[in-house]
Amino acid sequence: MRIVMTGATAGFGLYAAERLADAGATLTIGARNPAALPPTLHGRVAALPLDLDSLANVRTFAAALGEGPIDVLILNAGLQLAKPATSADGFERTFAVNHLAHYLLLRLLAPRLTTGARVILTGSGTHDPAEKTPVTPPAHADAARLAHPETDPTAEKGVRQACFRAYSTSKLCNIMTAREAPRRLSGIDFLSFDPGYVPHTGLGRDNGRVIAALVSYILPLLMKRDRSSTIPRSGQFLADLAIDPRYAGARGDYRSVRGPALLNIEPSALARDDAACARLWDDSARLVGL
Ligand SMILES: NC(=O)c1ccc[n+]([C@@H]2O[C@H](COP(=O)([O-])OP(=O)(O)OC[C@H]3O[C@@H](n4cnc5c(N)ncnc54)[C@H](OP(=O)(O)O)[C@@H]3O)[C@@H](O)[C@H]2O)c1
């Protein structure tokens, strides 16, 4: 089984990659620095350069993968910024890295996915206002305004709120992409994954190591207990979603870690808006030049 994965070098994605290698999968990962892989992946995976900050880099990565068929595509990489920033292509960086680059990668690799192949996009419970997480929830999924927040009258003025909203909205876009994809690409299974809150990953690194560490210890104490997870638990679930036959046939299902379980639940009202999902797909295509 050939698996292509982003976000395999740190956090629970690294744990999942280790489990997939243990299971005998042929794993190719996209990594910003393939020469400095975590030691547990050395000699066990193939690594090609991929910086999701640049759409040209995504195209180079897709071409470097070669022509062989792909059975599973795991789109797990993600970032959460502390200060607003712009990608190499001039788009808001969180939206560009977490959503647009993965959208382009999916579109470029779709012709190489086998019949019955599985695609998993890592989303987040922060996409859903009903979850009342500490992260500012999305206001909309209008790709043009998300790419250029300076044109968005609904944009948050505060730096922290703007960065949080960019993050939760990018994860909403991952979930909406998984829902729209089966209507656009036949013969492929699609899932989105909410890992719960997973402390001690690198996600908060842009806030500085001290704040990131404090948040990792404090937040689980303030959250509903079933929303807090661990690197092994969410990493194992991500690996299971990739290869366990019980997840076959998914049509954009949203799988969420709740305590010890991985539940199939409804995402937010906006994520369930089929017209908005279709618009996001088409607008994203225009933004990435398809
Ligand atoms: N932790 C949580 O509580 C939580 C909750 C919900 C959803 N998530 C989502 O889960 C996924 C994994 O997050 P994590 O918590 O495990 O964080 P993490 O430890 O920071 O891992 C993030 C991964 O994404 C990669 N990445 C980041 N920016 C990239 C770029 N420009 N190009 C290529 N790769 C890039 C990182 O690569 P490097 O090693 O090169 O940095 C790393 O492998 C993300 O999509 C995140 O949004 C996390």
Side-chain angles (χ1 to χ4, degrees):
M1 175 179 289
R2 185 176 185 214
I3 300 179
V4 174
M5 179 169 180
T6 71
T9 51
F12 64 84
L14 171 58
Y15 188 94
E18 291 163 1
R19 299 295 75 76
L20 291 168
D22 292 346
T26 303
L27 191 56
T28 304
I29 67 168
R32 282 189 279 196
N33 190 354
L37 285 189
T40 52
L41 295 185
H42 278 171
R44 307 181 73 207
V45 304
L48 294 170
L50 172 64
D51 188 344
L52 295 160
D53 194 80
S54 152
L55 295 175
N57 208 282
V58 172
R59 289 180 179 279
T60 305
F61 172 73
L65 283 170
E67 290 303 318
I70 297 166
D71 303 296
V72 179
L73 176 60
I74 306 176
L75 303 174
N76 177 64
L79 56 76
Q80 201 262 303
L81 297 175
K83 280 191 243 119
T86 303
S87 75
D89 302 286
F91 303 127
E92 190 286 316
R93 190 163 173 232
T94 317
F95 176 71
V97 168
N98 295 2
H99 169 64
L100 277 183
H102 279 136
Y103 172 84
L104 176 60
L105 188 55
L106 168 62
R107 293 291 305 272
L108 294 174
L109 296 186
R112 293 185 234 167
L113 292 171
T114 52
T115 302
R118 208 175 285 179
V119 178
I120 300 126
L121 294 101
T122 300
S124 163
T126 59
H127 87 279
D128 188 351
E131 289 243 11
K132 297 191 172 30
T133 75
V135 177
T136 313
H140 60 76
D142 177 333
R145 285 194 276 155
L146 296 173
H148 299 289
E150 68 282 3
T151 66
D152 186 353
T154 71
E156 286 283 349
K157 301 285 178 280
V159 166
R160 193 166 61 92
Q161 290 83 352
C163 288
F164 271 164
R165 176 163 282 170
Y167 176 76
S168 65
T169 309
S170 71
K171 299 283 101 184
L172 168 70
C173 293
N174 295 142
I175 294 163
M176 292 172 78
T177 300
R179 289 176 68 86
E180 181 63 15
R183 295 190 272 266
R184 307 289 184 133
L185 305 166
S186 59
I188 303 166
D189 298 347
F190 288 93
L191 291 145
S192 62
F193 174 54
D194 161 30
Y197 174 60
V198 190
H200 308 295
T201 72
L203 194 63
R205 71 183 91 169
D206 207 35
N207 296 289
R209 285 168 68 175
V210 176
I211 291 180
L214 279 174
V215 169
S216 278
Y217 285 106
I218 292 169
L219 211 50
L221 305 174
L222 304 176
M223 304 184 67
K224 283 193 205 155
R225 280 184 64 184
D226 75 336
R227 298 304 285 126
S228 191
S229 184
T230 62
I231 288 175
R233 181 183 290 173
S234 292
Q236 185 63 56
F237 277 136
L238 181 56
D240 292 347
L241 282 177
I243 57 173
D244 191 320
R246 93 182 97 148
Y247 298 113
R251 303 272 305 159
D253 305 5
Y254 175 58
R255 289 273 174 177
S256 177
V257 176
R258 306 273 156 157
L262 182 64
L263 302 184
N264 189 358
I265 62 169
E266 293 279 28
S268 70
L270 185 47
R272 285 183 276 120
D273 180 338
D274 290 348
C277 291
R279 255 192 324 274
L280 175 68
W281 184 278
D282 292 332
D283 292 347
S284 299
R286 272 189 286 280
L287 286 168
V288 302
L290 291 175

